[in-house]
Amino acid sequence: MNVRKWGAGAPVGAGLAVVLLGGCGIQSHGGAAGHGDSIVVGMSDEVLAVDPASGYDPGSWLLFNNVFQSLLSFPRGGSTPEPEAAKSCVFESGNTVYRCTLRDGLTFSNGDSLTSEDVKYSFERAIRINDPSGPAPLLTGIGKITAPDPQTVVFKLTTPDATFPSKIASGAGSIVDHSAYPADELRKDGKAVGSGPYELKSLDKSKAVFSVNSGYRGTARAKNSGITLDFFRGDQKGLASALQKGDVDVAYRGLAAQDIEQLEESSAAADNGIHVVEGSSAEVQHLVFNVNDPVAGKLSVRKAIAYLVNRDALVSEVYHSTATPLYSIVPAGITAHNTAFFDTYGGSPQPAKAEQALRGAGITGKVKLTLWSTPSRYGPATDNELRAIAQQLNQSGLFDAKVKSLPIEQYEKRIEAGELGIYVKGWVPDYPDPDNFTQPFFGKDNVLQNGYASGDIARRIIPGTAAQADRGTTQDAFGELQDKVAEDLPILPLWQGKQYAVANDDVSGLEWTLDPSTVFRFWEISKFS
């Protein structure tokens, strides 16, 4: 199974994308590139890969988005890709040919020129290596790449795909120097050569140091003189302590939901000039049902669970309102979002309907089941969340549910083997489009690995929506897809995360990193002492 960004996405402290800063304010305009102080960012995630052909986790993509350029990028607060290394890109031949013209004067941090040869090489290399933890699945629609001249690259797609610009605007589109990266294997020296706004100066198990790339040519404008990432590896208390002591300016993806709640309600924090800034997020979490399991495979059992789960209680009691209830597979803020699960199963527990679903299927005794968790990926609050769900089910008198946890390696292996009936999965999108919340789950070779397949979804709706250049016109088709999933119940959406920045007056700009694109933009953060 490709690791993808399954909430690895979600190895945040409480399972939520949480950003805490030592300061914040509104950045009204950018200064000259590289001005301002350097900034220390403490983070719970690690950078698992430096080579873009391998990494598919939040820490690695954070590095990719700042060190490497893509042809396109997501503007702050926007979901439509705009030119970055390219000065223009256009579709031809009915969304099956995508032609990009590069900016003039692009260079890598080692001084080499960036040409269309490097772009072609980067994509072909990622596809060829096809690393199990890499982004190659996003690039499977590419049939052929040509570079007719040094400034032009042409992608010929196997099928029409209007989401292709979003895919290559993500970390999967990172451009590497063809002379600095081997064609058939990963670079193993822990170094990176990119053309993005920052250079990776050093990386070890404790930290990564970045400096501003003076040779960068693109849309970003650095408002600091460098970034250091300090790795806390899930040590929430250590990260919180470092923030309080001033050892880090930013604590990113690692503080517990209780910390956020306390800071939001703390008058002392406000008196000290610290306040909480909330941003939008498209991170989601689901219960996944193995439809081949003897228990979870019964639709009546899944329906009973859907009628009983109290999302409001989960987000308030477990996540301290740092998330919102989610009632469909496409989250709020993303085109075509609807409330299919609310419409079908209601917004509060309905034990009578749950009992009716079971009795109508001839099930008269308590249903015994196990909910599986892996806090090593989704955070320690995940166990508490599943215990709360088990309690909700058991209080109905219809279930005898319990919770078990596994380390992530065993968890994934047992899911792949079909041994887990009900398990939790989180998802951080690669790009902010409904396609990225549907195709990976219900398309060919989907990542759910739960035995569910709908030919109508995989063969008609997903290809049909992918071919529509005007994403607004996909509303009805994605609505049909969401309604079908709510009816079949292969997964049960639980919550949609929020993003936060806790800040004081000497650090600003974090409001421009807290959007559904999931791009943590180093260049937007500034600190002036």
Side-chain angles (χ1 to χ4, degrees), residues 55-67:
Y56 211 170
D57 60 278
S60 298
W61 277 40
L62 182 152
L63 184 150
F64 300 159
N65 287 327
N66 289 283
V67 171

Side-chain angles (χ1 to χ4, degrees), residues 149-209:
D149 61 63
Q151 296 298 108
T152 306
V153 61
V154 181
F155 299 88
K156 295 183 179 180
L157 308 181
T158 55
T159 58
D161 185 4
T163 70
F164 185 69
S166 292
K167 291 174 181 175
I168 66 173
S170 73
S174 298
I175 302 168
V176 302
D177 184 347
H178 76 277
S179 66
Y181 286 80
D184 300 312
E185 62 181 6
L186 299 175
R187 184 168 176 165
K188 299 181 175 66
D189 62 0
K191 297 181 179 179
V193 177
S195 59
Y198 288 81
E199 295 182 57
L200 177 64
K201 304 304 290 186
S202 65
L203 172 68
D204 57 36
K205 293 183 178 181
S206 64
K207 65 181 179 180
V209 179

Side-chain angles (χ1 to χ4, degrees), residues 2 52-53 56 126-131 133-141 172:
N2 190 289
Y56 211 170
I127 294 169
R128 184 185 306 113
I129 292 174
N130 194 24
D131 187 83
S133 298
L138 284 180
L139 310 176
T140 55

Side-chain angles (χ1 to χ4, degrees), residues 125-346:
R125 175 177 181 268
I127 294 169
R128 184 185 306 113
I129 292 174
N130 194 24
D131 187 83
S133 298
L138 284 180
L139 310 176
T140 55
I142 298 174
K144 184 179 180 181
I145 308 172
T146 58
D149 61 63
Q151 296 298 108
T152 306
V153 61
V154 181
F155 299 88
K156 295 183 179 180
L157 308 181
T158 55
T159 58
D161 185 4
T163 70
F164 185 69
S166 292
K167 291 174 181 175
I168 66 173
S170 73
S174 298
I175 302 168
V176 302
D177 184 347
H178 76 277
S179 66
Y181 286 80
D184 300 312
E185 62 181 6
L186 299 175
R187 184 168 176 165
K188 299 181 175 66
D189 62 0
K191 297 181 179 179
V193 177
S195 59
Y198 288 81
E199 295 182 57
L200 177 64
K201 304 304 290 186
S202 65
L203 172 68
D204 57 36
K205 293 183 178 181
S206 64
K207 65 181 179 180
V209 179
F210 303 82
S211 63
V212 175
N213 179 8
S214 60
Y216 165 75
R217 300 290 181 270
T219 59
R221 192 170 181 83
K223 300 178 177 70
N224 55 68
S225 57
I227 298 285
T228 296
L229 296 181
D230 280 354
F231 304 133
F232 285 79
R233 300 182 178 181
D235 182 3
Q236 293 178 328
K237 291 183 179 179
L239 181 54
S241 176
L243 179 67
Q244 293 168 359
K245 294 179 194 176
D247 293 339
V248 300
D249 301 300
V250 181
Y252 177 54
R253 295 183 63 84
L255 294 184
Q258 300 96 302
D259 296 328
I260 301 295
E261 182 182 47
Q262 290 170 5
L263 284 164
E264 284 186 303
E265 298 174 353
S266 171
S267 59
D271 291 342
N272 291 329
I274 296 175
H275 57 281
V276 177
V277 178
E278 181 180 313
S280 57
S281 171
E283 179 177 2
V284 298
Q285 193 177 86
H286 307 292
L287 276 185
V288 180
F289 300 110
N290 179 353
V291 299
N292 296 320
D293 182 80
V295 179
K298 297 176 180 178
L299 180 59
S300 57
V301 172
R302 303 198 299 272
K303 283 186 175 182
I305 294 172
Y307 279 124
L308 292 173
V309 169
N310 187 335
R311 295 170 178 81
D312 287 324
L314 293 179
V315 300
S316 64
E317 297 170 10
V318 179
Y319 292 107
H320 301 270
S321 299
T322 57
T324 57
L326 180 63
Y327 291 97
S328 194
I329 53 175
V330 177
I334 301 297
T335 299
H337 163 74
N338 73 6
T339 55
F341 283 77
F342 183 95
D343 300 338
T344 306
Y345 304 103

